[in-house]
Amino acid sequence: MHPLPPDWQQTFNDYNAALTRRQFFRDSGTGLGVAALASLLGPRVRAESAGAATLQTAMTEPWKIAPKAKRAIYISLIGAPSQLDLFDYKPELKNRFREDLKSYLGGQGERLTGMTSGQAAFPLAPSIFKFARHGQSGMWISELLPNIAKMSDDLCFIRSMKTDAINHEPANQLVYTGSMQNGKASMGSWLAYGLGTLNADLPSFVVLHAKHTSPFSNVQAISSRLWGSGFLPGKHAGVSLRAQGDPVLYLNDAPGIPRELRRQMLDGLGELNRRSYAQIGDPEIQTRTQQYEMAFRMQTSVPELADMSGESEATYELYGEEARTRGSFASSALMARRLVERGVRFVQIFHRGWDQHGSLPRDLAAQCKDVDRACYGLVQDLKQRGMLDDTLIIWGGEFGRTVYSQGTLTETNYGRDHHPRCFTIWMAGGGVKPGTVYGETDEMSYNIVKDPVHIRDLHATILRLMGIDHERFAFKFQGLDQRLTGVVAASVVKGILA
């Protein structure tokens, strides 16, 4: 081990005192800008404190508008569930079983994935599942989702979603970060940045990874890019709670370290960080300090959060017995309710295994069984607690599935490839119009024929419901005003707003 040089303290002080070009222009520009503004406004800058505070909020947070929802839960079905087998009922397709769509696809200019581009034929595969109308809206819902069907009047279905991506990773990045490029901030991070926290003892954005139960599921890998903060301050990144062991690793103090000593250590470290920030102005120093303090508070808040012993039998009856098993989707749904109940702004549940390229009837049924009852339980639980009206729930995947079969087609078995042109999601609570069916697709669930909704439009709508104007909600990075909805026009879907 090399000893420290004798002038190490001076070296450290010199580093802290160093001023980068960017920091110089930022600091001096701010001071000159304030002086210039004060000279122009004159006596008006001496407004009473309340008015000044209102002006400051309007200047620093111009994106804020009246919210419909205080918090949100996004149920992310990684792999893309088949709209044809769950929500977009096309009974006339049964008469076209095995019809080759190769010439039709050529006329559509369809992009094909490498998994089906080599097929000699593209046989039409009608759904083998039974559908029935439910609720006052008469929404067609598959037999695979009997509990979701029971609450159709609480839900808003969008059957005309579309995306730009045909493969999983770019499609997921587009859904959850607004861009197919790496390095962007996730939706949850944007909301945490724009709205702040409702509970200083828990993160604003929490991520849960629910297990799938079928051993046959085709599981897509996902990365922390989907819940990362990108160019936003690191404190806005999603915090993952583990399904086994301690919910957060290394949260507990080491043996022999009493809480009072930990507090003293953090106070000392905080003082050093304040001095460093005063000298060099790196915002990541503040982020580290805030995260240390959050971790200290979470030592108390997380054990209480994770202790579900106080949940009633009636609650477990709603969510199902699987809710007693940590890591199951049902347990994650119950945890999501506990999180938003305690002031967490945005909760994201990732459930993988929805990529049915083959053996769809077997595998889709297993995936639906994982989530159906617990989704019903979550919505009804929030409703009973008076929280549904200001809690937004979003349920969906990254794209749809093809009407033609991937691989061998039989009367009882088929697979479906990726399809970006149309798919279905549903939303509930938080300012959306319940019992609504929005958008239509053509006779093959191939193209949208009425009220298309792009991913960007969905983002604009979610932000609107959470009290954010997407056109004014930006963060300066690399000389650009970065936005969740990007630079291409996006519109709030007013037809689904309550």
Side-chain angles (χ1 to χ4, degrees), residues 68-69 388-392 428-433 465 496-498:
K68 298 289 186 178
L388 184 60
D389 287 345
D390 57 8
T391 302
L392 177 64
V432 299
K433 191 184 300 181
L465 291 168
I496 70 169
L497 302 184

Side-chain angles (χ1 to χ4, degrees), residues 14-31 276-285:
D14 291 344
Y15 171 79
N16 276 350
L19 189 67
T20 68
R21 179 175 177 270
R22 178 175 296 177
Q23 290 161 357
F24 170 77
F25 282 114
R26 182 195 65 208
D27 294 343
S28 60
T30 300
S276 293
Y277 181 76
Q279 290 178 316
I280 65 175
D282 184 353
E284 285 302 309
I285 294 175

Side-chain angles (χ1 to χ4, degrees), residues 71-88:
R71 59 193 84 83
I73 299 171
Y74 203 127
I75 299 170
S76 304
L77 308 178
I78 300 297
S82 168
Q83 79 283 0
L84 279 156
D85 297 279
L86 297 180
F87 302 114
D88 206 2

Side-chain angles (χ1 to χ4, degrees), residues 96-147:
R96 300 172 63 180
F97 176 73
R98 213 188 290 274
E99 177 184 325
D100 189 2
L101 299 179
K102 188 170 186 177
S103 60
Y104 172 80
L105 297 178
Q108 291 289 317
E110 171 67 357
R111 291 181 294 167
L112 301 177
T113 71
M115 294 167 286
T116 54
S117 59
Q119 288 189 185
F122 295 84
L124 190 149
S127 177
I128 68 169
F129 299 108
K130 297 177 182 178
F131 280 71
R133 287 186 179 272
H134 294 272
Q136 294 181 355
S137 66
M139 175 65 183
W140 288 99
I141 301 178
S142 167
E143 62 181 321
L144 294 178
L145 299 170
N147 289 289

Side-chain angles (χ1 to χ4, degrees), residues 27-72:
D27 294 343
S28 60
T30 300
L32 292 173
V34 170
L37 179 61
S39 67
L40 290 172
L41 293 178
R44 281 178 291 174
V45 299
R46 291 184 289 274
E48 60 183 4
S49 59
T54 302
L55 175 62
Q56 176 69 15
T57 300
M59 292 175 63
T60 60
E61 298 178 334
W63 57 77
K64 286 195 173 181
I65 53 181
K68 298 289 186 178
K70 295 179 180 178
R71 59 193 84 83

